[in-house]
Amino acid sequence: MSYALTDEQLEIQALVRRVARERVAQRADEIDRTAEYPQDMYDLLRELGLFTVPFPAEYGGTGSMLSAAVAVEEFGRVCYNTAYLLLVQWLPFSAILAGGSLEQQRRFLPGLASGALRGAFSTTEPQSGSDVSGIRTRARKVDDSYRITGSKIWCTNAAVSDFVLVAAKTGEGDALGSINLFIVERGTKGFQVGRKEDKMGARGVPSSPLFLDDVLVPADNRLGPEGRGFKIVMEAFNKSRPLIAARAIGLAQGAIDHSSAFIQGRRAFGQQVSDFQGVRWMLADMAIQT
Ligand SMILES: Cc1cc2nc3c(=O)[nH]c(=O)nc-3n(C[C@H](O)[C@H](O)[C@H](O)COP(=O)(O)OP(=O)(O)OC[C@H]3O[C@@H](n4cnc5c(N)ncnc54)[C@H](O)[C@@H]3O)c2cc1C
């Protein structure tokens, strides 16, 4: 088994590395400082066709999450927010691909792949984050629809999204099989995106609470068969977690890049700081751990 990147992955890496250096790096600081959504970076990703990368070939992609991780890592190296724009689009994509009906896939995947549609994904509530089974949002079946009531926190991208995948429990019980994901479209009556969080980092991509007050969604907006929601969430997380790790590796590599440039440019006690052995050890440790 080969652990080397394929020629195609090396091409993606080279393209993203060049674009990141030439067109993204100079915006990174401003995006985080102003906490403004980087529409220009979104447009750039669209223009380059990068949202498409992990999608199956029929949607114009490579079908490879490793290729997606390569792109995320390279952007993460210079701009965490730009890397986040890819990640946050790919979580609803993974869920719809894992559990959506053919009709739902045809309805949403082309738009997510091209960037014409933006999505978000919401499981977290004030009392339950890692423990998805603890959600309290309820979806009550009424004829051919569901009425959803509850609230969410930390929904990233909801403020700019065309739709949010919202996790809610159906019926009266609390079993894992009661969890379902619902496609809640922007502007649906009773659905509100709250004020964005004033975050310590990743400030360009907004995270907000959601409020759902008797929100009526057609049964066709339930993702996949009844009771499959928890499994779909876990399958989507299986895809997104390595990407989150890739972004962290990019961030760590970016710290090495900055440190390395600094110690080579700075002089102290009559010599370049990079010539102090203790400093070199620290850089070596950083490289080993990245
Ligand atoms: C910037 C940001 C963006 C986010 N975006 C989204 C989003 O778009 N959609 C969404 O749904 N959520 C989002 N979240 C929420 C995120 O998914 C949760 O914060 C995460 O699941 C952890 O949940 P929690 O914060 O409630 O912590 P908890 O689950 O309460 O965990 C508290 C602590 O206990 C530890 N812990 C929990 N369970 C275990 C265990 N089994 N074993 C050992 N230790 C454990 C955790 O590691 C943590 O240290 C976002 C969060 C942040 C910070």
Side-chain angles (χ1 to χ4, degrees):
M1 182 175 176
S2 167
Y3 290 102
L5 296 181
T6 63
D7 287 346
E8 185 184 51
Q9 285 158 350
L10 288 170
E11 271 175 37
I12 292 172
Q13 187 180 52
L15 168 79
V16 176
R17 190 170 290 176
R18 181 176 58 74
V19 170
R21 196 180 54 233
E22 292 174 2
R23 298 176 67 180
V24 178
Q26 59 271 39
R27 281 277 286 128
D29 178 51
E30 187 185 23
I31 294 169
D32 224 56
R33 192 162 27 80
T34 59
E36 275 170 21
Y37 182 77
Q39 182 61 42
D40 56 339
M41 294 295 110
Y42 188 87
D43 294 339
L44 177 64
L45 297 175
R46 270 193 85 171
E47 184 193 313
L48 294 167
L50 287 171
F51 286 117
T52 317
V53 170
F55 284 69
E58 60 188 293
Y59 296 102
T62 66
S64 161
M65 289 316 270
L66 180 56
S67 300
V70 166
V72 165
E73 184 181 332
E74 289 301 323
F75 281 124
R77 193 169 171 174
V78 302
C79 180
Y80 194 84
N81 286 291
T82 302
Y84 210 157
L85 292 176
L86 290 174
L87 269 176
V88 81
Q89 185 86 339
W90 290 339
L91 187 51
F93 147 68
S94 297
I96 294 171
L97 188 67
S101 65
L102 213 53
E103 191 276 330
Q104 288 165 338
Q105 294 186 1
R106 290 197 178 125
R107 199 165 130 213
F108 292 99
L109 294 190
L112 287 175
S114 70
L117 282 181
R118 276 179 258 226
F121 182 94
S122 181
T123 52
T124 305
E125 298 182 3
Q127 77 293 338
S128 66
S130 320
D131 180 11
V132 175
S133 68
I135 61 168
R136 291 185 187 149
T137 297
R138 282 278 163 193
R140 195 162 44 87
K141 187 96 192 274
V142 183
D143 303 324
D144 271 349
S145 305
Y146 288 89
R147 289 190 172 276
I148 308 175
T149 296
S151 59
K152 300 283 181 183
I153 56 171
W154 287 114
C155 184
T156 304
N157 225 33
V160 294
S161 285
D162 298 284
F163 69 92
V164 181
L165 294 181
V166 173
K169 285 178 176 165
T170 51
E172 302 302 321
D174 271 322
L176 291 183
S178 66
I179 297 176
N180 286 279
L181 280 169
F182 295 91
I183 301 161
V184 179
E185 294 176 72
R186 183 172 48 195
T188 308
K189 191 161 171 271
F191 172 55
Q192 236 193 316
V193 178
R195 195 165 57 91
K196 73 175 182 186
E197 299 293 343
D198 185 16
K199 293 185 286 191
M200 291 171 71
R203 289 162 55 79
V205 188
S207 302
S208 323
L210 306 179
F211 304 101
L212 299 112
D213 180 13
D214 210 24
V215 176
L216 186 69
V217 297
D220 284 348
N221 279 23
R222 188 194 62 230
L223 206 62
E226 170 104 36
R228 276 261 303 151
F230 185 77
K231 183 117 181 34
I232 298 171
V233 169
M234 292 304 131
E235 284 180 29
F237 284 173
N238 283 347
K239 295 269 171 61
S240 70
R241 282 174 175 146
L243 295 176
I244 291 170
R247 185 181 51 179
I249 290 170
L251 189 67
Q253 183 60 51
I256 295 175
D257 295 343
H258 283 294
S259 306
S260 168
F262 174 78
I263 62 173
Q264 289 178 75
R266 182 81 179 171
R267 292 183 69 79
F269 299 95
Q271 66 183 64
Q272 223 167 262
V273 170
S274 59
D275 287 334
F276 292 114
Q277 195 177 37
V279 173
R280 289 177 168 222
W281 282 334
M282 284 193 267
L283 258 286
D285 279 343
M286 287 165 75
I288 289 164
Q289 287 170 30
T290 296

